[in-house]
Amino acid sequence: MPQLNPAPWLLILLFSWFVFLMIALPKITKHDLIGEPAPKTIKTHDSTKWFWPWH
């Protein structure tokens, strides 16, 4: 059965990964993010204690 012969398919797989890693990946990682997230300001809450009437 010719579809079980790994010789042509293995070469195609290796070549496609080579193209992806050597050509496409550097182009993709070179792009900058448009909207970099800014750190949020920390809001401090009112720290008054709540006195429960039954204690």
Side-chain angles (χ1 to χ4, degrees), residues 12-29:
I12 292 170
L13 175 73
L14 292 176
F15 184 71
S16 63
W17 271 104
F18 174 76
V19 168
F20 176 73
L21 291 176
M22 295 298 149
I23 296 173
L25 193 61
K27 286 185 178 184
I28 293 170
T29 57

Side-chain angles (χ1 to χ4, degrees), residues 5-52:
N5 185 6
W9 303 113
L10 183 63
L11 184 62
I12 292 170
L13 175 73
L14 292 176
F15 184 71
S16 63
W17 271 104
F18 174 76
V19 168
F20 176 73
L21 291 176
M22 295 298 149
I23 296 173
L25 193 61
K27 286 185 178 184
I28 293 170
T29 57
K30 188 171 38 174
H31 294 289
D32 292 333
L33 292 176
I34 295 173
E36 298 251 351
K40 292 182 104 176
T41 58
I42 299 173
K43 295 180 181 177
T44 58
H45 297 287
D46 188 18
S47 63
T48 58
K49 294 183 179 181
W50 181 307
F51 294 106
W52 295 94

